Amino acid sequence: AVGREGHPLLFLVEVKARPTNLAALAQLLGYCRIVQPEGAWLLSPLGWSAPLAKLVRDFGRGDLLEFAPGKKIVVARWDVATAQVRPGDAL
């Protein structure tokens, strides 16, 4: 993608074969804080681990997904059959 004044935009996408977990989130969060991409996605066809869901949803810690003001990592389920993120299936 190209942003203002023709400068390229950087997006990070990490895909896991297993359910995404806290370790995968922490790794991508570290990358994001260093390179400051426009957006970031953490995807898996198996969704996410129970501890990650509990932390973000039950304990309301969506702030842990934020890597810069107004920018959050999207943790979502990848649909292999349609080759896209399953609508509404994200943390």
Side-chain angles (χ1 to χ4, degrees):
V2 179
R4 293 184 182 157
E5 300 175 16
H7 295 287
L9 300 176
L10 177 66
F11 293 85
L12 296 180
V13 179
E14 188 166 344
V15 181
K16 299 293 187 183
R18 296 179 178 207
T20 56
N21 58 29
L22 293 170
L25 175 62
Q27 179 179 343
L28 185 56
L29 187 59
Y31 294 153
C32 289
R33 289 191 173 169
I34 292 168
V35 301
Q36 293 295 304
E38 288 299 310
W41 291 268
L42 182 56
L43 307 172
S44 171
L46 300 178
W48 42 83
S49 69
L52 179 57
K54 186 171 186 136
L55 183 64
V56 173
R57 288 185 174 159
D58 298 349
F59 293 119
R61 292 303 310 269
D63 61 304
L64 295 176
L65 304 174
E66 188 171 312
F67 60 89
K71 294 183 180 180
K72 289 187 174 186
I73 294 173
V74 176
V75 180
R77 186 181 308 266
W78 181 256
D79 189 327
V80 177
T82 62
Q84 62 185 358
V85 171
R86 288 177 52 174
D89 210 352
L91 287 181

